[in-house]
Structure formats: structure tokens, C-alpha cells
Amino acid sequence: QVRLVESGGGFVQAGGSLRLSCAASGFHFSVSTMGWYRQAPGKQRELVASILSTGTKTNYADSVKGRFTISRDNARRTVDLQMNSLKPEDTATYYCNVRYGSTWSDSWGQGTLVTVSS
């Protein structure tokens, strides 16, 4: 079955950087669109970035555009999220996910917590 394991979160001051990584298994990673979501306390989970299977096209939420970069390594079955110029409002638990057609999976990993102090 789908298994997604996120890592790389931590505590950082505003303006700092973090790189998140997600290790995926249990599905055909190299043909799947992947994404990073985040969920802040008391808020709904939101999609922040996605990347097509070939890595040739990416999309970002307006709130992170120009600061976050999503990338993938199909050989290693990983998808990363480079986060620069972090802001306190980026504080959240970050999750990766896989999209089947037009629908995101309902299988979630444990997530990785990012805390940005002001």
C-alpha cells in the first residue's frame, strides 16, 4: 500500500531555510504527480506545491511562490521541498501526497513539523 515518510522539519527563525524530504513506496512513483501539503493548527490542510511525474512542470500556492521549490528524484523515489525566506505563517505540519488522476490520495504519512519563529 501507499507509504509516505516525511522528514526534515524543525525550528527555524524567520528568513531561514529548511529542506523537507518525502520517501515514497507502494505505488508507481515515477508516473505519479506528487505534492506537498501543510496544515497549521486550527486550519484546513492546503496544497502548497505539486510536481508532475517527469518533473517538468510545477505549481505553487500563491503564498509560497518564489520562496519554495519542489523537486523529485524518480530513481530514489523521493520528493523534496526547499523552503527559503521562511515566515512565521509557514508554521505547520507538512505532508507529501500522491495524486491519482485528478484525485489526491487519502493515505497520509505522519508529516513533519516546521516551526518558524519571528
Side-chain angles (χ1 to χ4, degrees):
Q1 73 262 24
V2 173
R3 186 163 187 253
L4 302 163
V5 180
E6 302 92 347
S7 62
F11 184 92
V12 64
Q13 290 190 326
S17 298
L18 282 174
R19 188 176 184 90
L20 308 182
S21 188
C22 171
S25 61
F27 61 97
H28 294 297
F29 182 85
S30 63
V31 299
S32 300
T33 294
M34 297 296 297
W36 280 95
Y37 280 75
R38 69 184 180 188
Q39 187 168 23
K43 294 190 176 180
Q44 285 194 327
R45 199 168 293 186
E46 63 170 341
L47 179 65
V48 296
S50 63
I51 185 168
L52 293 186
S53 59
T54 56
T56 54
K57 185 171 181 179
T58 57
N59 280 295
Y60 297 93
D62 287 344
S63 58
V64 307
K65 216 171 272 186
R67 300 186 299 120
F68 289 12
T69 302
I70 188 171
S71 61
R72 64 190 295 159
D73 185 330
N74 285 347
R76 293 175 60 233
R77 301 176 61 91
T78 58
V79 56
D80 291 354
L81 187 67
Q82 177 66 43
M83 307 186 297
N84 298 329
S85 303
L86 283 161
K87 305 175 181 180
E89 51 264 44
D90 295 319
T91 294
T93 299
Y94 285 72
Y95 304 85
C96 67
N97 207 343
V98 53
R99 194 172 76 195
Y100 300 117
S102 60
T103 306
W104 291 94
S105 169
D106 58 5
S107 294
W108 298 93
Q110 84 289 347
T112 187
L113 178 63
V114 172
T115 304
V116 184
S117 68
S118 57

